[in-house]
Amino acid sequence: MKGYELVGRDTELAALAGPVDPARPGQVLVLLGDAGTGKTALLDVVADRVTERGLRVLRAAATKAELDVPFAGLHLLFHPVLDALDALPPLHRDALLTAFGLAKGESADRLVEGMATVALAREFQPLLLIVDDVQWLDASSRAALTFACRRLAGAAVSVVFAGRGAKAPEGLGRTVAELRLGPLSERDAALLVDRQPIPPRGLVRDRVLAEGAGNPAALIELSAVVANRPSASSWAHDLLPLTPGLAAIYADELAELPDATRSALLLVSAVDPEDLEFASQRLPCASPEALAGAELAGLLRIGPGGIEFAHPLVRSAVYHSAPFAARAEAHRKLAEILAERPDRRALHLVRATLTPDEDVAALAESSIDEVRRRSGVAAATALMARAAELSPRDQDKARRLVLAADLARQVGNPSWSEDLANRAAEFAEDPEHRLAAQVQLGTALVWTSQHKAALELLLPLFQGSALAGPNLPWSALRGISAAAYLDGSDAARQQVRAALTALADRSGHRAEDLTDPIDLTMAWGAAALDPYHHRELAVAARATAERPLDTLPRTPLGAILWLLDESDVAVSVLRSSIDQLRNTQQGGSIGILLSHCWACADAGRWDEALDASAYLAGVAANTDQPLVRTIAELVIATVHGWRGEVDLARRYLSGPLDSGDPADCRAVGAWAYRAAGILALAEDEPATAYAHLRRLFADDGTPLHYHLSYQGIADLASIAVRLDLVTETRALVRRIVARFDGTPSSRVAQLLGHAEAVLAEPADAEAKFAEALAVPDGRRWPFEQARLRLAHAEWLRRQRRINEAKPVLSQVRDVFARLRASTWAERAERELRAAGVRVSESSAIEVGELSPQEHQVVHLAGQGLSNRQIGELLNLSPRTVGAHLYRAFPKLGITNRRQIRDVPAPVKSFD
């Protein structure tokens, strides 16, 4: 197949450079690979490059229709230059004219025909011969060409054969170079899919990648199949249909099989892989004997591990080549066989049913919990959506669509949830169903740029007794709390605060109790709205975090702890929450994942923050959530800025600052201004840094964001000292402190104390530093405390209290070194030298240096290992390997794994 973009084939292109190098004449190479792996596309690139260099290229593609036509392939290859036959010796000329049917006479023997082919090729030196689809090359042409290859040594003629299968054409001998074209790596496959005109998103993208299995043509064709039906519920859990081009690859093999074998194949293709062994034991018509013909044709493999298709596309081709009636009959047989597994029976009956059927819909709904347990929330969502489609009554359809929308939210796919909620609203006649659809729709909008619209949808529901359902208030409360936090305006907070108070009065629940999931939801709302008004809640949350994991749902608790600046405990709880979500195959709450990213950054677990943020950025891109991706990349930009990795920080920060008006999303605005200030500081541009950080507060001290703005105040004050803006900034900080709403957490108290100390009048500085350093538990934020202690040590040195400053400077330098905060480590070392301490050069930190694990991952990737293979070697998940590469490539100044072949192996330590 032609026309698709060449991705992930740099290594192969480099290998193909040999046969087309005039300095290396007489090269012969055989390019082997499955259909659709890109052999022809590679040959197109090679032919173009050779032509651009002024060399002649003769090219032919054999066809199955001419497999039995003598010399058909050779004639097609040399057809453009047949006029040159007259220049050959008569013996050779006549042999080829006769072979090509251009003259009458007896055929020459094979030796003469071979030598004639050699003579004709030599007439056009330097020359590249390309023969594609060599598996269909007729025997006479193959004999002549392989003979010629063995006689062209020393001539400026090179030959490239390309074909399917695992063997080179017969007659070439064992010394011919072979290049095997395998599937694309996971990363390159994803890149190719994402570059399509209408790239698939979400679960559909996962299916395209899974069924394409690294085959470039399949990935492109399948992306095109789903482009016109982008709904996740359409294709998320059904086999994707093949385009005619893909189906044609397997059509001949299927058509030549006996009817019984095709029937057996259809049953095997219709059953889910996890049920295949169980079902095949109960299907005599799908026995190994019945499938023997398919096995001989290479369509599947049968062994101790069971039945396995040679490629996912084979399964799709078998399934979709059959008419619906045959597929439905296969599913009904499987439903009968799997009757003891109600969830599997439901899945097959759903696939066999076209028209509304309440019995099938009800069975599907009753199986949701088991499907969720066995196959994950995404599979349960798709089944519930299908149950809704099969519901005869609108009220059942609406109810089931609402349930499906809620499941899609748990998957972490708000666009899918929004689609299902909108469809539910269309069919909802009952007031409760309309309310439920409205709640799901508003909740789906929260993590988009439409959080204001989410508030407009959800806030009216808290008036009077609108929220009648037992769970609706709490779902809506989670949504409006997150939306108010992102919005960040006083108006949004006041509205949501009123709703929270009304709900608390009506329910009797209080945020500080934390005894059940409803309490946690109340606490989440309280912490999101007023993080500095609930110190008693922080104490209760820390105590709750110490309880056994199974006594309380933990997913909201970690976010509550992060909002209340209990960063270290938050990291621990959020880790266990995310592990629990992944173990149950849920995508997870976006709020939980974002909380984990920022909590790790705040607590000094920067590598974990980068890994978590890279994962979340991928999830956001996959589910088409630009706002979430922006926030995830702001975490990455912030950490790289702290580490002095300015190129990386700038790369991830380039979009957020220009993404819109900060007033529309004050949380993103505050994160972006702080990250921009950190980056400018790392670039030693204090005026620019000050300008960014100054935007975190209005002139009267009002914060841009009631929670996040305070995290930049110490940086703002420190830069003011460098710019000699102490007087005005001191006055600003006083106004900020005076307008502070609530009781600062230990973290914010340390940051405010830091700002006041560096801006203090000389007579007050020591007391202010002492006050800031005395903040309880300041060490829980290691980077921020090290910054404060560095500022104090600098002040001590300026006061000529050098002996007091030295140990502090050594300690903070070690903290910065551990964090790989190079800019700050160098600053501490400069202070140590100024204090008369000799600093070892070995303690210096290299900007952009890979971590040991990043180095190991990059080296193995450079050796051609896939993410899964690297993960097996290093005991990491493929997703974590991908995250390491995601962070490492920019550090190395590269864009893909094909550029890392020369990365040396990590040096082993023998300490």
Side-chain angles (χ1 to χ4, degrees):
M1 297 178 185
K2 297 183 180 180
Y4 50 80
E5 184 177 1
L6 198 61
V7 171
R9 297 304 192 193
D10 286 358
T11 300
E12 291 80 0
L13 281 172
L16 282 166
V20 300
D21 185 353
R24 300 174 61 193
Q27 299 293 303
V28 179
L29 183 141
V30 181
L31 178 64
L32 299 171
D34 293 335
T37 50
K39 299 182 296 297
T40 301
L42 272 172
L43 296 177
D44 289 341
V45 174
V46 169
D48 288 344
R49 291 182 179 180
V50 170
T51 302
E52 289 172 1
R53 292 163 57 183
L55 280 70
R56 181 185 287 274
V57 177
L58 294 178
R59 183 173 179 180
T63 63
K64 190 174 184 180
E66 297 179 348
L67 181 59
D68 296 325
V69 179
F71 293 105
L74 193 67
H75 176 265
L76 187 62
L77 181 64
F78 285 105
H79 184 268
V81 294
L82 289 183
D83 290 345
L85 289 176
D86 291 338
L88 299 182
L91 180 64
H92 294 159
R93 179 195 62 211
D94 294 344
L96 290 178
L97 286 172
T98 303
F100 295 156
L102 299 175
K104 294 182 179 181
E106 294 185 4
S107 299
D109 60 38
R110 292 179 61 181
L111 176 62
V112 174
E113 292 168 344
M115 291 304 299
T117 303
V118 172
L120 183 59
R122 286 178 178 272
E123 286 294 315
F124 300 99
Q125 302 180 69
L127 173 67
L128 173 64
L129 298 175
I130 297 177
V131 182
D132 202 355
D133 287 325
V134 70
Q135 74 277 1
W136 290 324
L137 187 64
D138 62 274
S140 300
S141 297
R142 184 173 62 248
L145 285 170
T146 54
F147 178 93
C149 287
R150 297 192 300 271
R151 298 297 190 279
L152 284 170
V157 178
S158 294
V159 185
V160 175
F161 294 100
R164 300 181 195 175
K167 294 182 179 179
E170 293 180 6
L172 284 177
R174 300 181 180 180
T175 60
V176 176
E178 292 185 8
L179 177 61
R180 298 187 182 277
L181 200 59
L184 295 176
S185 68
E186 293 178 11
R187 185 174 183 276
D188 287 328
L191 179 63
L192 180 59
V193 167
D194 291 340
R195 287 185 178 178
Q196 297 312 298
I198 305 178
R201 297 294 185 194
L203 297 173
V204 182
R205 179 177 181 272
D206 293 342
R207 290 308 299 269
V208 168
L209 289 170
E211 294 191 26
N215 184 295
L219 294 169
I220 291 165
E221 298 279 353
L222 293 177
S223 295
V225 166
V226 303
N228 295 324
R229 295 179 63 182
S231 171
S233 59
S234 296
W235 300 123
H237 296 285
D238 290 328
L239 284 172
L240 298 177
L242 302 187
T243 61
L246 287 177
I249 294 174
Y250 306 102
D252 289 341
E253 287 85 349
L254 293 175
E256 293 173 0
L257 295 174
D259 290 344
T261 303
R262 288 204 303 272
S263 297
L265 269 178
L266 177 58
L267 280 167
V268 172
S269 71
V271 69
D272 294 312
E274 58 266 36
D275 296 326
L276 185 54
E277 181 178 0
F278 178 87
S280 61
Q281 293 172 356
R282 291 157 177 78
L283 282 171
C285 58
S287 65
E289 291 75 17
L291 293 168
E295 186 178 15
L296 289 172
L299 298 174
L300 48 72
R301 293 179 288 270
I302 302 176
I307 302 170
E308 180 183 3
F309 281 100
H311 191 281
L313 292 179
V314 176
R315 183 184 173 208
S316 293
V318 170
Y319 185 80
H320 286 291
S321 65
F324 175 79
R327 299 200 304 269
E329 179 62 25
H331 284 301
R332 283 190 287 269
K333 285 183 180 179
L334 291 168
E336 182 179 349
I337 289 169
L338 297 168
E340 60 190 78
R341 299 181 178 181
D343 61 311
R344 319 312 290 172
R345 178 169 178 263
L347 284 169
H348 286 290
L349 288 178
V350 160
R351 290 166 179 163
T353 306
L354 281 180
T355 57
D357 187 317
E358 178 57 26
D359 290 340
V360 175
L363 177 63
E365 182 178 2
S366 67
S367 304
I368 289 298
D369 288 342
E370 181 60 22
V371 171
R372 178 174 180 160
R373 184 192 68 79
R374 187 193 296 264
S375 303
V377 183
T381 306
L383 181 60
M384 184 63 82
R386 183 66 181 133
E389 293 172 355
L390 294 175
S391 302
R393 298 190 305 171
D394 284 352
Q395 62 183 19
D396 291 325
K397 192 184 296 288
R399 176 178 57 79
R400 286 164 178 155
L401 283 168
V402 166
L403 293 173
D406 187 54
L407 288 167
R409 177 190 59 78
Q410 296 176 42
V411 172
N413 193 328
S415 59
W416 193 8
S417 182
E418 180 183 355
D419 174 58
L420 292 166
N422 275 319
R423 288 164 56 194
E426 293 176 11
F427 296 102
E429 298 176 355
D430 184 275
E432 183 177 344
H433 293 159
R434 284 199 298 271
L435 284 173
Q438 193 169 344
V439 168
Q440 292 299 335
L441 181 57
T443 304
L445 293 176
V446 168
W447 293 106
T448 69
S449 57
Q450 304 179 68
H451 48 267
K452 289 184 182 295
L455 288 170
E456 292 174 2
L457 268 174
L458 296 176
L459 280 171
L461 302 180
F462 288 84
Q463 299 170 2
S465 58
L467 289 175
N471 296 318
L472 294 182
W474 316 113
S475 297
L477 179 59
R478 288 192 293 268
I480 60 175
S481 299
Y485 185 87
L486 290 169
D487 183 275
S489 67
D490 288 341
R493 291 171 66 204
Q494 289 171 4
Q495 291 174 306
V496 177
R497 192 182 294 119
L500 179 61
T501 301
L503 200 54
D505 292 342
R506 187 170 22 167
S507 68
H509 286 274
R510 290 292 181 269
E512 292 77 14
D513 293 340
L514 296 181
T515 55
D516 63 24
I518 291 178
D519 295 332
L520 281 173
T521 302
M522 297 285 288
W524 192 350
L529 296 172
D530 298 294
Y532 303 121
H533 282 262
H534 297 284
R535 299 321 303 159
E536 72 284 356
L537 178 57
V539 174
R542 287 182 69 89
T544 303
E546 297 174 359
R547 298 181 191 175
L549 290 177
D550 57 353
T551 61
L552 192 68
R554 316 230 338 145
T555 48
L557 183 61
I560 294 167
L561 287 161
W562 168 68
L563 288 164
L564 297 174
D565 287 334
E566 301 294 328
S567 309
D568 52 343
V569 186
V571 171
S572 176
V573 174
L574 287 163
R575 282 175 184 160
S576 64
S577 298
I578 292 169
D579 288 344
Q580 183 181 31
L581 290 170
R582 291 179 180 172
N583 287 339
T584 56
Q585 300 186 50
Q586 296 186 38
S589 163
I590 295 299
I592 299 302
L593 296 172
L594 278 174
S595 299
H596 181 221
C597 296
W598 281 115
C600 290
D602 297 341
R605 290 160 168 90
W606 290 352
D607 285 333
E608 185 175 349
L610 291 174
D611 284 345
S613 301
Y615 167 75
L616 181 56
V619 169
N622 194 15
T623 53
D624 199 19
Q625 299 181 76
L627 177 67
V628 175
R629 182 172 183 175
T630 291
I631 298 173
E633 292 188 341
L634 281 170
V635 182
I636 298 173
T638 299
V639 172
H640 285 312
W642 281 332
R643 283 182 163 168
E645 298 163 345
V646 295
D647 291 338
L648 288 169
R650 190 183 303 110
R651 178 177 303 177
Y652 289 107
L653 189 58
S654 59
L657 285 176
D658 302 322
S659 59
D661 186 351
D664 292 334
C665 189
R666 291 169 180 256
V668 170
W671 277 318
Y673 291 143
R674 184 171 69 127
I678 290 167
L679 170 59
L681 193 58
E683 293 178 307
D684 198 24
E685 297 181 359
T688 302
Y690 188 87
H692 285 303
L693 294 168
R694 182 63 181 77
R695 299 180 72 176
L696 293 173
F697 299 94
D699 290 342
D700 65 356
T702 302
L704 172 66
H705 191 274
Y706 59 93
H707 180 218
L708 301 172
S709 286
Y710 301 106
Q711 297 172 9
I713 195 168
D715 283 319
L716 180 68
S718 299
I719 298 167
V721 174
R722 291 183 60 185
L723 296 174
D724 198 20
L725 298 173
V726 172
T727 302
E728 50 265 56
T729 307
R730 182 190 299 139
L732 173 64
V733 170
R734 286 173 180 165
R735 293 192 293 273
I736 292 170
V737 173
R739 294 185 66 88
F740 190 87
D741 186 16
T743 302
S745 63
S746 293
R747 181 189 184 191
V748 171
Q750 182 171 256
L751 291 169
L752 289 171
H754 185 166
E756 292 179 317
V758 298
L759 295 170
E761 299 282 1
D764 300 328
E766 184 161 18
K768 289 293 186 181
F769 272 118
E771 184 179 345
L773 290 165
V775 170
D777 298 325
R779 67 182 184 281
R780 290 163 56 196
W781 301 275
F783 180 64
E784 292 168 0
Q785 188 183 67
R787 293 273 311 281
L788 169 62
R789 296 183 69 205
L790 174 60
H792 181 225
E794 290 171 336
W795 180 84
L796 288 172
R797 190 184 65 78
R798 289 195 299 270
Q799 302 303 310
R800 300 187 183 281
R801 295 160 63 175
I802 293 175
N803 288 335
E804 295 178 62
K806 287 179 182 179
V808 177
L809 290 169
S810 294
Q811 291 165 6
V812 298
R813 181 197 59 179
D814 291 343
V815 173
F816 293 139
R818 178 175 59 81
L819 293 171
R820 292 171 51 216
S822 60
T823 304
W824 294 98
E826 290 164 4
R827 179 170 166 176
E829 290 179 354
R830 287 196 299 270
E831 285 294 318
L832 278 169
R833 292 188 182 96
V837 177
R838 185 173 181 180
V839 178
S840 171
E841 292 297 328
S842 62
S843 66
I845 293 181
E846 296 182 18
V847 176
E849 179 186 6
L850 298 178
S851 70
Q853 192 161 78
E854 286 172 349
H855 190 174
Q856 204 167 14
V857 167
V858 168
H859 173 68
L860 292 172
Q863 304 307 300
L865 276 67
S866 68
N867 288 10
R868 186 173 301 280
Q869 291 170 325
I870 296 170
E872 291 172 354
L873 286 174
L874 302 182
N875 196 27
L876 301 172
S877 70
R879 199 183 301 274
T880 299
V881 172
H884 279 307
L885 293 171
Y886 183 85
R887 290 189 288 105
F889 286 0
K891 294 180 183 180
L892 297 169
I894 63 176
T895 57
N896 59 65
R897 68 200 301 150
R898 295 173 304 283
Q899 297 171 278
I900 55 176
R901 291 190 297 272
D902 297 329
V903 171
V907 177
K908 295 182 179 180
S909 173
F910 297 95
D911 294 344

